């Protein structure tokens, strides 16, 4: 899609408050609109949303999402992570009618080289450049799915933190967001994921194996430490990574037309 930059809002490089989408059941849900652009204005609201696993949305949540313009849901998870669980609400088929669901995992959990390079850092921006280098077609597939949607898009993984954080950082960079805006969106994703308990697949680099892990809610002090540990790598990535090169592989006309 086009028109994600919104210079009608004279932010002067400041973020503009965008109301929470408020889709019942959704976890770690936010609108990427309202993030400050380097040359003034902000990213337009209502074009790209990010969240944790979409299975938590209720019937009311899906109705609210569609009313907000949602048409495409892009799932960044691996196949083993998907499907309904006991804590997911039952959803009527008609609640999902009209939506396009795209499976677009950003990683191959069986790729030995990916696990060697990125496995110890899957919850850290240190893995992002390696992920794009080792799995460029996967990252491009995500971007192509976003580019092809002419309505609002929801991008999600399991917690809405790591893989979603990577893709959304790329989208914000493409749109011309400031480094501070990208960092704040990443931090918001961490804080949002930390508010919930759940089960997730993690890679144990010592054992060189995937395992399921219960993840309790994370307290504010630990969240601050985690973010402080990750911010230098995030800032380094923002300064060095060639995001437009990824976008060009989608065949879309220009990086600034990121949704």
């Amino acid at each position: 899609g086009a028109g994600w930059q919104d210079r009608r809002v004279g932010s002067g490089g400041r973020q503009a408050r965008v109301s929470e989408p408020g889709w019942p059941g959704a976890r770690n849900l936010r609108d990427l609109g309202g993030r400050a652009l380097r040359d003034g204005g902000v990213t337009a609201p209502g074009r790209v949303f990010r969240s944790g696993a979409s299975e938590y949305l209720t019937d009311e949540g899906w109705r609210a999402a569609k009313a907000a313009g949602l048409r495409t849901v892009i799932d960044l998870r691996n196949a083993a992570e998907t499907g309904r669980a006991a804590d997911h609400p039952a959803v009527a088929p008609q609640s999902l009618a009209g939506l396009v669901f795209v499976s677009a995992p950003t990683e191959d959990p069986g790729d030995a080289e990916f696990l060697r390079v990125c496995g110890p850092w899957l919850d850290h921006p240190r893995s992002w450049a390696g992920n794009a280098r080792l799995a460029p077609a996967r990252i491009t597939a995500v971007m192509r799915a976003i580019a092809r949607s002419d309505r609002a898009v929801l991008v999600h993984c399991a917690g809405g933190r790591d893989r979603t954080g990577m893709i959304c950082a790329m989208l914000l960079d493409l749109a011309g967001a400031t480094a501070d805006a990208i960092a704040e969106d990443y931090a918001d994703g961490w804080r949002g994921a930390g508010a919930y308990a759940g089960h997730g697949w993690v890679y144990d680099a010592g054992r060189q194996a995937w395992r399921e892990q219960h993840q309790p809610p994370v307290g504010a002090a630990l969240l601050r430490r985690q973010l402080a540990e990750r911010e230098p790598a995030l800032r380094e990535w923002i300064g060095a990574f060639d995001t437009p090169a990824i976008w060009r592989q989608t065949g879309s006309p220009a990086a600034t037309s990121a949704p």
Side-chain angles (χ1 to χ4, degrees), residues 17-235:
R17 183 175 180 81
V18 173
S19 61
E20 293 295 329
W23 304 346
R27 293 187 171 190
N28 199 9
L29 173 67
R30 286 191 323 286
D31 188 333
L32 259 67
R35 298 295 184 186
L37 297 170
R38 291 188 292 270
D39 57 354
V42 296
T43 52
R47 296 292 294 127
V48 180
F49 300 91
R50 57 175 292 176
S51 76
S54 65
E55 288 90 350
Y56 287 103
L57 268 75
T58 64
D59 287 313
E60 293 79 8
W62 286 115
R63 284 195 289 270
K66 289 193 286 187
L70 181 68
R71 290 298 179 271
T72 303
V73 180
I74 301 174
D75 188 346
L76 308 179
R77 297 173 297 176
N78 301 312
E81 302 174 81
T82 62
R84 305 201 72 82
D87 60 342
H88 294 151
V91 173
Q94 58 265 32
S95 296
L96 306 179
L99 295 172
V100 176
F101 290 84
V102 179
S103 175
T106 58
E107 61 196 35
D108 179 353
D111 185 315
E113 179 65 5
F114 171 81
L115 294 176
R116 184 187 70 80
V117 174
C118 300
W121 305 105
L122 292 179
D123 66 346
H124 199 293
R126 285 189 185 182
S127 70
W128 293 2
N131 195 154
R133 177 174 61 83
L134 294 170
R138 291 177 178 272
I139 304 299
T140 300
V142 176
M143 296 298 177
R144 185 175 291 116
I146 295 169
R148 288 176 175 173
S149 177
D150 59 356
R151 299 291 298 277
V153 174
L154 171 66
V155 178
H156 76 87
C157 55
R161 186 188 72 179
D162 299 312
R163 289 162 289 188
T164 300
M166 175 179 70
I167 293 299
C168 289
M170 291 180 179
L171 290 173
L172 288 168
D173 187 49
L174 283 165
T178 66
D180 286 346
I182 296 171
E184 187 57 35
D185 181 73
Y186 176 78
D188 284 346
W190 265 78
R191 297 184 192 105
Y196 297 97
H199 291 274
W201 287 94
V202 298
Y203 182 69
D204 187 328
R207 298 181 178 181
Q208 298 185 349
W210 292 91
R211 59 182 173 84
E212 193 172 13
Q213 174 176 284
H214 176 70
Q215 297 171 327
V218 181
L222 178 55
L223 279 172
R224 286 194 296 271
R225 290 198 299 272
Q226 291 172 333
L227 287 168
E229 290 168 358
R230 287 159 175 78
E231 184 168 359
L234 174 62
R235 298 273 180 176

